[in-house]
Amino acid sequence: MKRRIASWENGHSAPDDFYGPLLCEAYDLTADELGLNHEGERDTGLLDAGYPESPEGAIEAVGQLWRADLNRYEPLLQAEPSEPAWNEASLRWLVAPEPAVPRQRQNGMRVGLGDVGAIKTTADMFAELDDRFGGDHARHAAIQYLSTEVTPLLRGQYTEPVGRALFSTVAEATLLAGWMSYDACRHGLAQRYFLQALRLAQDANDRRLAGSILSAMSHQATFLGRYTQAATLARAALMGISPVATPTLRAQFHAMEARALARTGDIRACEAALSAATKALESRNNDDEPEWISYFDEAELAAEAAHCFRDVNSARQAVAHAENAMSGSHVRSDFFATMVLADAHLRAGDSEEACRVALDALDLGEQLKSARCVSYLAEFRQNLAAAGSSADVLTFTEQVREHRLWIASGDRVVV
Protein backbone atom coordinates (compact mmCIF):
# COMPACT_ATOMS: atom_id res chain seq x y z
CA MET A 1 0.00 0.00 0.00
CA LYS A 2 2.90 2.36 0.78
CA ARG A 3 4.26 1.82 -2.73
CA ARG A 4 0.86 2.61 -4.21
CA ILE A 5 0.60 5.88 -2.25
CA ALA A 6 4.16 6.85 -3.24
CA SER A 7 3.30 6.21 -6.88
CA TRP A 8 0.27 8.51 -6.61
CA GLU A 9 2.30 11.20 -4.90
CA ASN A 10 5.00 11.04 -7.60
CA GLY A 11 2.44 11.33 -10.37
CA HIS A 12 3.27 7.96 -11.94
CA SER A 13 -0.33 6.74 -11.60
CA ALA A 14 -3.69 7.82 -10.22
CA PRO A 15 -6.10 6.17 -7.76
CA ASP A 16 -8.46 3.83 -9.57
CA ASP A 17 -12.24 3.41 -9.24
CA PHE A 18 -11.79 1.57 -5.95
CA TYR A 19 -9.22 3.77 -4.18
CA GLY A 20 -10.40 7.10 -5.60
CA PRO A 21 -13.74 7.15 -3.71
CA LEU A 22 -12.02 5.88 -0.54
CA LEU A 23 -9.61 8.81 -0.65
CA CYS A 24 -12.48 11.24 -1.22
CA GLU A 25 -14.24 9.83 1.83
CA ALA A 26 -11.12 9.76 3.99
CA TYR A 27 -10.24 13.39 3.27
CA ASP A 28 -13.85 14.58 2.97
CA LEU A 29 -12.99 16.17 -0.38
CA THR A 30 -14.42 15.84 -3.89
CA ALA A 31 -12.55 14.17 -6.73
CA ASP A 32 -12.03 17.62 -8.27
CA GLU A 33 -10.46 18.92 -5.06
CA LEU A 34 -8.11 15.92 -4.93
CA GLY A 35 -7.27 16.29 -8.61
CA LEU A 36 -8.61 12.87 -9.57
CA ASN A 37 -10.64 14.05 -12.56
CA HIS A 38 -8.31 14.41 -15.53
CA GLU A 39 -9.00 16.89 -18.27
CA GLY A 40 -9.62 14.05 -20.69
CA GLU A 41 -12.48 12.80 -18.58
CA ARG A 42 -14.01 16.28 -18.45
CA ASP A 43 -14.29 16.31 -22.24
CA THR A 44 -16.09 13.00 -22.61
CA GLY A 45 -19.51 14.55 -23.10
CA LEU A 46 -20.84 13.42 -19.71
CA LEU A 47 -22.64 16.72 -19.29
CA ASP A 48 -24.28 16.62 -22.73
CA ALA A 49 -27.01 14.08 -21.77
CA GLY A 50 -26.64 12.47 -25.18
CA TYR A 51 -28.18 9.24 -26.45
CA PRO A 52 -25.43 6.83 -27.62
CA GLU A 53 -25.21 6.08 -31.32
CA SER A 54 -24.28 2.40 -30.95
CA PRO A 55 -24.08 -0.48 -28.47
CA GLU A 56 -20.36 0.17 -28.13
CA GLY A 57 -21.15 3.81 -27.44
CA ALA A 58 -23.61 2.76 -24.76
CA ILE A 59 -20.99 0.60 -23.03
CA GLU A 60 -18.49 3.46 -23.07
CA ALA A 61 -21.01 6.10 -21.96
CA VAL A 62 -22.48 4.17 -19.04
CA GLY A 63 -19.01 3.13 -17.87
CA GLN A 64 -17.91 6.76 -17.86
CA LEU A 65 -21.02 7.76 -15.92
CA TRP A 66 -20.46 5.12 -13.26
CA ARG A 67 -16.79 6.09 -12.90
CA ALA A 68 -17.44 9.83 -12.74
CA ASP A 69 -20.29 9.36 -10.25
CA LEU A 70 -18.14 7.08 -8.12
CA ASN A 71 -15.35 9.66 -8.10
CA ARG A 72 -17.84 12.39 -7.20
CA TYR A 73 -17.30 14.48 -10.31
CA GLU A 74 -19.07 17.57 -9.05
CA PRO A 75 -20.23 19.09 -12.38
CA LEU A 76 -22.04 15.82 -13.08
CA LEU A 77 -23.52 15.51 -9.60
CA GLN A 78 -24.85 19.07 -9.83
CA ALA A 79 -25.95 18.88 -13.48
CA GLU A 80 -29.44 19.97 -14.47
CA PRO A 81 -31.72 17.74 -16.56
CA SER A 82 -32.10 18.52 -20.25
CA GLU A 83 -35.56 18.66 -21.82
CA PRO A 84 -34.21 18.22 -25.38
CA ALA A 85 -32.52 15.00 -24.20
CA TRP A 86 -35.90 13.51 -23.24
CA ASN A 87 -37.28 14.38 -26.66
CA GLU A 88 -34.30 13.02 -28.55
CA ALA A 89 -34.09 9.75 -26.63
CA SER A 90 -37.80 8.92 -26.81
CA LEU A 91 -37.94 9.70 -30.55
CA ARG A 92 -34.79 7.77 -31.39
CA TRP A 93 -36.00 4.77 -29.41
CA LEU A 94 -39.41 4.83 -31.11
CA VAL A 95 -37.91 4.82 -34.63
CA ALA A 96 -34.86 2.65 -33.89
CA PRO A 97 -33.99 -0.12 -36.37
CA GLU A 98 -33.48 -3.75 -35.39
CA PRO A 99 -31.05 -3.73 -32.45
CA ALA A 100 -27.64 -5.34 -32.51
CA VAL A 101 -25.37 -6.45 -29.69
CA PRO A 102 -21.85 -5.01 -29.80
CA ARG A 103 -19.06 -6.63 -31.76
CA GLN A 104 -17.13 -9.23 -29.82
CA ARG A 105 -13.74 -8.33 -28.41
CA GLN A 106 -10.89 -10.82 -28.56
CA ASN A 107 -9.27 -9.97 -25.24
CA GLY A 108 -12.25 -9.60 -22.93
CA MET A 109 -13.37 -12.04 -20.27
CA ARG A 110 -15.87 -14.72 -21.27
CA VAL A 111 -19.36 -13.96 -20.02
CA GLY A 112 -22.13 -16.51 -19.45
CA LEU A 113 -25.67 -16.54 -18.12
CA GLY A 114 -24.31 -17.24 -14.63
CA ASP A 115 -22.62 -13.83 -14.70
CA VAL A 116 -25.88 -12.23 -15.81
CA GLY A 117 -27.72 -13.95 -12.97
CA ALA A 118 -25.21 -12.62 -10.46
CA ILE A 119 -25.84 -9.04 -11.66
CA LYS A 120 -29.59 -9.57 -11.34
CA THR A 121 -29.35 -10.96 -7.81
CA THR A 122 -27.06 -8.13 -6.67
CA ALA A 123 -29.25 -5.45 -8.26
CA ASP A 124 -32.31 -6.95 -6.54
CA MET A 125 -30.52 -6.62 -3.21
CA PHE A 126 -29.80 -2.94 -3.87
CA ALA A 127 -33.42 -2.42 -4.96
CA GLU A 128 -34.62 -3.79 -1.63
CA LEU A 129 -32.27 -1.48 0.27
CA ASP A 130 -33.47 1.46 -1.85
CA ASP A 131 -37.10 0.62 -1.05
CA ARG A 132 -36.53 0.28 2.70
CA PHE A 133 -34.01 3.04 3.36
CA GLY A 134 -34.20 5.48 0.43
CA GLY A 135 -31.99 6.22 -2.54
CA ASP A 136 -29.20 7.89 -0.58
CA HIS A 137 -28.65 4.89 1.68
CA ALA A 138 -26.80 2.49 -0.65
CA ARG A 139 -26.52 4.50 -3.87
CA HIS A 140 -22.76 4.85 -3.68
CA ALA A 141 -22.32 1.13 -3.02
CA ALA A 142 -24.55 0.28 -5.99
CA ILE A 143 -22.49 2.49 -8.31
CA GLN A 144 -19.30 0.95 -6.92
CA TYR A 145 -20.59 -2.50 -7.86
CA LEU A 146 -21.66 -1.44 -11.35
CA SER A 147 -18.39 0.34 -12.08
CA THR A 148 -16.00 -2.29 -10.79
CA GLU A 149 -17.86 -5.55 -11.45
CA VAL A 150 -20.23 -4.93 -14.36
CA THR A 151 -18.05 -2.79 -16.65
CA PRO A 152 -15.62 -5.67 -17.38
CA LEU A 153 -18.57 -7.93 -18.25
CA LEU A 154 -19.97 -5.43 -20.75
CA ARG A 155 -16.53 -5.30 -22.35
CA GLY A 156 -16.17 -9.07 -22.40
CA GLN A 157 -16.90 -11.85 -24.90
CA TYR A 158 -20.42 -13.26 -25.15
CA THR A 159 -22.78 -14.91 -27.58
CA GLU A 160 -25.75 -13.00 -28.95
CA PRO A 161 -28.29 -14.60 -26.55
CA VAL A 162 -26.03 -13.92 -23.57
CA GLY A 163 -25.42 -10.40 -24.85
CA ARG A 164 -29.15 -9.67 -25.03
CA ALA A 165 -29.66 -10.98 -21.48
CA LEU A 166 -26.63 -9.05 -20.25
CA PHE A 167 -27.77 -5.76 -21.76
CA SER A 168 -31.32 -6.20 -20.44
CA THR A 169 -30.10 -6.95 -16.92
CA VAL A 170 -27.62 -4.07 -16.93
CA ALA A 171 -30.35 -1.77 -18.27
CA GLU A 172 -32.53 -2.74 -15.32
CA ALA A 173 -29.65 -2.13 -12.89
CA THR A 174 -28.91 1.23 -14.51
CA LEU A 175 -32.60 2.13 -14.25
CA LEU A 176 -32.29 1.44 -10.52
CA ALA A 177 -29.24 3.73 -10.38
CA GLY A 178 -31.41 6.37 -12.04
CA TRP A 179 -34.22 5.92 -9.50
CA MET A 180 -31.77 6.09 -6.59
CA SER A 181 -30.18 9.25 -8.00
CA TYR A 182 -33.63 10.75 -8.61
CA ASP A 183 -34.61 9.94 -5.01
CA ALA A 184 -31.44 11.73 -3.92
CA CYS A 185 -32.54 14.71 -6.07
CA ARG A 186 -29.46 14.39 -8.30
CA HIS A 187 -31.73 15.10 -11.22
CA GLY A 188 -29.27 15.65 -14.06
CA LEU A 189 -27.39 12.51 -13.08
CA ALA A 190 -30.63 10.53 -12.77
CA GLN A 191 -31.72 11.62 -16.24
CA ARG A 192 -28.41 10.48 -17.69
CA TYR A 193 -28.79 7.07 -16.07
CA PHE A 194 -32.32 6.77 -17.45
CA LEU A 195 -31.05 7.67 -20.94
CA GLN A 196 -28.27 5.07 -20.83
CA ALA A 197 -30.68 2.45 -19.46
CA LEU A 198 -33.02 3.14 -22.38
CA ARG A 199 -30.21 2.64 -24.90
CA LEU A 200 -29.13 -0.62 -23.22
CA ALA A 201 -32.72 -1.87 -23.23
CA GLN A 202 -32.96 -0.97 -26.92
CA ASP A 203 -29.87 -3.04 -27.70
CA ALA A 204 -31.29 -5.91 -25.65
CA ASN A 205 -34.50 -5.68 -27.71
CA ASP A 206 -36.37 -5.49 -24.37
CA ARG A 207 -39.19 -3.16 -25.34
CA ARG A 208 -41.19 -3.72 -22.16
CA LEU A 209 -38.29 -2.59 -20.01
CA ALA A 210 -37.63 0.34 -22.35
CA GLY A 211 -41.23 1.46 -21.93
CA SER A 212 -40.88 1.30 -18.16
CA ILE A 213 -37.74 3.44 -18.41
CA LEU A 214 -39.68 6.08 -20.35
CA SER A 215 -42.31 5.88 -17.62
CA ALA A 216 -39.61 6.60 -15.03
CA MET A 217 -38.53 9.62 -17.08
CA SER A 218 -42.15 10.79 -17.07
CA HIS A 219 -42.31 10.42 -13.29
CA GLN A 220 -39.19 12.56 -12.88
CA ALA A 221 -40.40 15.16 -15.39
CA THR A 222 -43.62 15.61 -13.40
CA PHE A 223 -41.66 16.00 -10.17
CA LEU A 224 -39.55 18.69 -11.86
CA GLY A 225 -42.57 20.59 -13.17
CA ARG A 226 -42.14 19.61 -16.84
CA TYR A 227 -45.75 18.46 -17.12
CA THR A 228 -46.27 18.55 -20.88
CA GLN A 229 -43.04 16.65 -21.40
CA ALA A 230 -44.04 14.13 -18.73
CA ALA A 231 -47.35 13.39 -20.46
CA THR A 232 -45.56 12.99 -23.80
CA LEU A 233 -43.05 10.52 -22.33
CA ALA A 234 -45.86 8.42 -20.83
CA ARG A 235 -47.68 8.34 -24.17
CA ALA A 236 -44.45 7.44 -25.99
CA ALA A 237 -44.00 4.51 -23.59
CA LEU A 238 -47.49 3.23 -24.32
CA MET A 239 -47.18 3.70 -28.08
CA GLY A 240 -43.69 2.21 -28.27
CA ILE A 241 -44.54 -1.11 -26.64
CA SER A 242 -48.20 -1.39 -27.63
CA PRO A 243 -47.80 -4.79 -29.37
CA VAL A 244 -46.12 -6.35 -26.32
CA ALA A 245 -47.56 -4.25 -23.48
CA THR A 246 -48.98 -6.15 -20.51
CA PRO A 247 -52.00 -4.85 -18.54
CA THR A 248 -49.82 -3.75 -15.61
CA LEU A 249 -47.47 -1.81 -17.87
CA ARG A 250 -50.39 -0.11 -19.59
CA ALA A 251 -51.81 0.78 -16.17
CA GLN A 252 -48.51 2.30 -15.10
CA PHE A 253 -48.16 4.37 -18.27
CA HIS A 254 -51.73 5.68 -18.03
CA ALA A 255 -51.13 6.53 -14.37
CA MET A 256 -47.99 8.51 -15.24
CA GLU A 257 -49.93 10.41 -17.89
CA ALA A 258 -52.66 11.13 -15.33
CA ARG A 259 -50.10 12.48 -12.84
CA ALA A 260 -48.81 14.93 -15.44
CA LEU A 261 -52.28 15.97 -16.59
CA ALA A 262 -53.40 16.62 -13.03
CA ARG A 263 -50.60 19.12 -12.62
CA THR A 264 -51.70 20.93 -15.79
CA GLY A 265 -55.23 21.21 -14.38
CA ASP A 266 -56.84 19.11 -17.13
CA ILE A 267 -59.23 17.27 -14.80
CA ARG A 268 -61.24 15.51 -17.51
CA ALA A 269 -58.19 14.10 -19.28
CA CYS A 270 -56.64 13.13 -15.94
CA GLU A 271 -59.75 11.19 -14.89
CA ALA A 272 -59.89 9.47 -18.30
CA ALA A 273 -56.27 8.35 -17.93
CA LEU A 274 -56.93 7.07 -14.39
CA SER A 275 -59.99 5.18 -15.63
CA ALA A 276 -57.89 3.55 -18.35
CA ALA A 277 -55.25 2.62 -15.77
CA THR A 278 -57.86 1.03 -13.49
CA LYS A 279 -59.41 -0.93 -16.34
CA ALA A 280 -56.01 -2.19 -17.50
CA LEU A 281 -54.96 -3.31 -14.02
CA GLU A 282 -58.19 -5.21 -13.52
CA SER A 283 -57.36 -7.41 -16.52
CA ARG A 284 -53.83 -8.37 -15.49
CA ASN A 285 -52.54 -11.91 -15.09
CA ASN A 286 -49.53 -11.88 -12.76
CA ASP A 287 -48.04 -14.93 -14.47
CA ASP A 288 -47.66 -12.94 -17.71
CA GLU A 289 -46.08 -9.84 -16.16
CA PRO A 290 -42.35 -9.04 -15.95
CA GLU A 291 -41.06 -9.63 -12.43
CA TRP A 292 -39.78 -6.06 -12.11
CA ILE A 293 -43.28 -4.54 -12.52
CA SER A 294 -44.91 -6.69 -9.82
CA TYR A 295 -44.78 -3.80 -7.33
CA PHE A 296 -47.38 -1.87 -9.36
CA ASP A 297 -50.60 -3.15 -7.80
CA GLU A 298 -53.91 -1.73 -6.55
CA ALA A 299 -52.19 0.06 -3.66
CA GLU A 300 -49.67 1.66 -6.00
CA LEU A 301 -52.39 2.79 -8.40
CA ALA A 302 -54.39 4.18 -5.46
CA ALA A 303 -51.31 6.20 -4.47
CA GLU A 304 -51.01 7.62 -7.98
CA ALA A 305 -54.73 8.49 -7.99
CA ALA A 306 -54.35 10.18 -4.60
CA HIS A 307 -51.57 12.38 -6.00
CA CYS A 308 -53.79 13.27 -8.95
CA PHE A 309 -56.86 14.24 -6.92
CA ARG A 310 -54.74 16.19 -4.44
CA ASP A 311 -53.22 18.15 -7.32
CA VAL A 312 -56.63 19.03 -8.80
CA ASN A 313 -57.84 20.07 -5.32
CA SER A 314 -60.38 17.26 -4.96
CA ALA A 315 -59.52 16.66 -1.31
CA ARG A 316 -62.19 14.08 -0.48
CA GLN A 317 -61.27 11.84 -3.39
CA ALA A 318 -57.59 12.25 -2.55
CA VAL A 319 -58.27 11.12 1.01
CA ALA A 320 -60.27 8.10 -0.16
CA HIS A 321 -57.54 6.92 -2.55
CA ALA A 322 -54.67 7.67 -0.15
CA GLU A 323 -56.30 5.56 2.55
CA ASN A 324 -56.20 2.60 0.12
CA ALA A 325 -52.59 3.23 -0.87
CA MET A 326 -50.77 1.78 2.15
CA SER A 327 -49.07 -1.43 1.10
CA GLY A 328 -47.45 -2.18 4.45
CA SER A 329 -44.43 -3.60 2.63
CA HIS A 330 -42.87 -0.63 0.77
CA VAL A 331 -41.61 1.92 3.29
CA ARG A 332 -40.86 4.84 1.00
CA SER A 333 -44.04 4.40 -1.07
CA ASP A 334 -46.08 4.26 2.13
CA PHE A 335 -44.36 7.44 3.32
CA PHE A 336 -45.34 9.25 0.11
CA ALA A 337 -48.93 7.99 0.34
CA THR A 338 -49.16 9.05 3.98
CA MET A 339 -47.89 12.53 3.18
CA VAL A 340 -50.38 12.85 0.33
CA LEU A 341 -53.12 11.87 2.80
CA ALA A 342 -51.89 14.55 5.21
CA ASP A 343 -51.88 17.11 2.38
CA ALA A 344 -55.40 16.12 1.37
CA HIS A 345 -56.72 16.55 4.93
CA LEU A 346 -55.03 19.93 5.14
CA ARG A 347 -56.61 21.06 1.88
CA ALA A 348 -59.98 19.87 3.18
CA GLY A 349 -59.55 22.19 6.16
CA ASP A 350 -58.91 19.49 8.75
CA SER A 351 -55.56 20.58 10.17
CA GLU A 352 -55.89 18.35 13.24
CA GLU A 353 -56.14 15.17 11.14
CA ALA A 354 -53.49 16.46 8.74
CA CYS A 355 -51.04 16.87 11.61
CA ARG A 356 -51.85 13.45 13.05
CA VAL A 357 -51.24 11.76 9.69
CA ALA A 358 -48.06 13.76 9.03
CA LEU A 359 -46.72 12.63 12.41
CA ASP A 360 -47.36 9.02 11.34
CA ALA A 361 -45.43 9.71 8.13
CA LEU A 362 -42.46 11.12 10.04
CA ASP A 363 -42.33 8.07 12.28
CA LEU A 364 -42.57 5.82 9.23
CA GLY A 365 -39.82 7.69 7.38
CA GLU A 366 -37.35 8.00 10.23
CA GLN A 367 -35.00 5.50 8.58
CA LEU A 368 -35.28 6.94 5.06
CA LYS A 369 -32.40 8.81 3.42
CA SER A 370 -34.39 10.38 0.61
CA ALA A 371 -34.28 13.96 -0.63
CA ARG A 372 -37.64 13.37 -2.32
CA CYS A 373 -39.20 12.57 1.05
CA VAL A 374 -37.76 15.82 2.38
CA SER A 375 -39.35 17.64 -0.57
CA TYR A 376 -42.78 16.21 0.27
CA LEU A 377 -42.36 17.39 3.86
CA ALA A 378 -41.19 20.83 2.76
CA GLU A 379 -44.32 21.28 0.65
CA PHE A 380 -46.54 20.15 3.54
CA ARG A 381 -44.67 22.46 5.90
CA GLN A 382 -45.25 25.40 3.59
CA ASN A 383 -48.97 24.62 3.27
CA LEU A 384 -49.24 24.12 7.04
CA ALA A 385 -47.73 27.55 7.68
CA ALA A 386 -50.29 29.09 5.32
CA ALA A 387 -53.11 27.38 7.25
CA GLY A 388 -52.39 29.42 10.38
CA SER A 389 -51.13 28.77 13.88
CA SER A 390 -53.94 26.83 15.52
CA ALA A 391 -53.43 24.86 18.72
CA ASP A 392 -53.21 21.64 16.68
CA VAL A 393 -50.50 23.06 14.45
CA LEU A 394 -48.50 24.40 17.39
CA THR A 395 -48.69 21.05 19.19
CA PHE A 396 -47.62 19.23 16.04
CA THR A 397 -44.64 21.48 15.36
CA GLU A 398 -43.47 20.98 18.94
CA GLN A 399 -43.78 17.19 18.58
CA VAL A 400 -41.80 16.98 15.35
CA ARG A 401 -39.13 19.62 15.84
CA GLU A 402 -36.46 16.96 16.61
CA HIS A 403 -37.38 14.63 13.74
CA ARG A 404 -34.48 14.32 11.30
CA LEU A 405 -36.59 14.66 8.14
CA TRP A 406 -38.55 17.60 9.57
CA ILE A 407 -35.33 19.43 10.38
CA ALA A 408 -34.07 18.78 6.83
CA SER A 409 -37.34 20.02 5.33
CA GLY A 410 -36.80 23.43 6.94
CA ASP A 411 -33.83 24.00 4.63
CA ARG A 412 -35.60 22.89 1.45
CA VAL A 413 -37.05 25.53 -0.87
CA VAL A 414 -40.31 24.48 -2.56
CA VAL A 415 -40.50 25.61 -6.20
Side-chain angles (χ1 to χ4, degrees), residues 283-347:
S283 67
R284 81 186 185 282
N285 179 348
N286 288 331
D287 292 337
D288 297 332
E289 299 287 346
E291 176 270 332
W292 41 260
I293 197 62
S294 61
Y295 77 93
F296 197 90
D297 55 13
E298 287 83 1
E300 190 72 19
L301 181 55
E304 303 297 354
H307 278 85
C308 291
F309 287 115
R310 178 203 63 178
D311 292 341
V312 298
N313 292 316
S314 183
R316 288 184 180 179
Q317 286 180 284
V319 167
H321 284 285
E323 288 175 340
N324 292 322
M326 309 303 169
S327 68
S329 57
H330 300 291
V331 177
R332 183 178 49 206
S333 294
D334 285 351
F335 174 89
F336 290 144
T338 306
M339 283 309 306
V340 170
L341 179 59
D343 271 332
H345 282 302
L346 191 60
R347 296 186 187 204

Side-chain angles (χ1 to χ4, degrees), residues 7 38-39 41 60 129 168-169 202 231 238 249 257 294 309 353 367 374 384 405:
S7 178
H38 304 294
E39 289 303 317
E41 184 173 78
E60 186 64 24
L129 292 173
S168 180
T169 302
Q202 174 186 324
L238 186 60
L249 285 169
E257 181 184 10
S294 61
F309 287 115
E353 186 65 7
Q367 64 186 351
V374 173
L384 190 65
L405 290 176

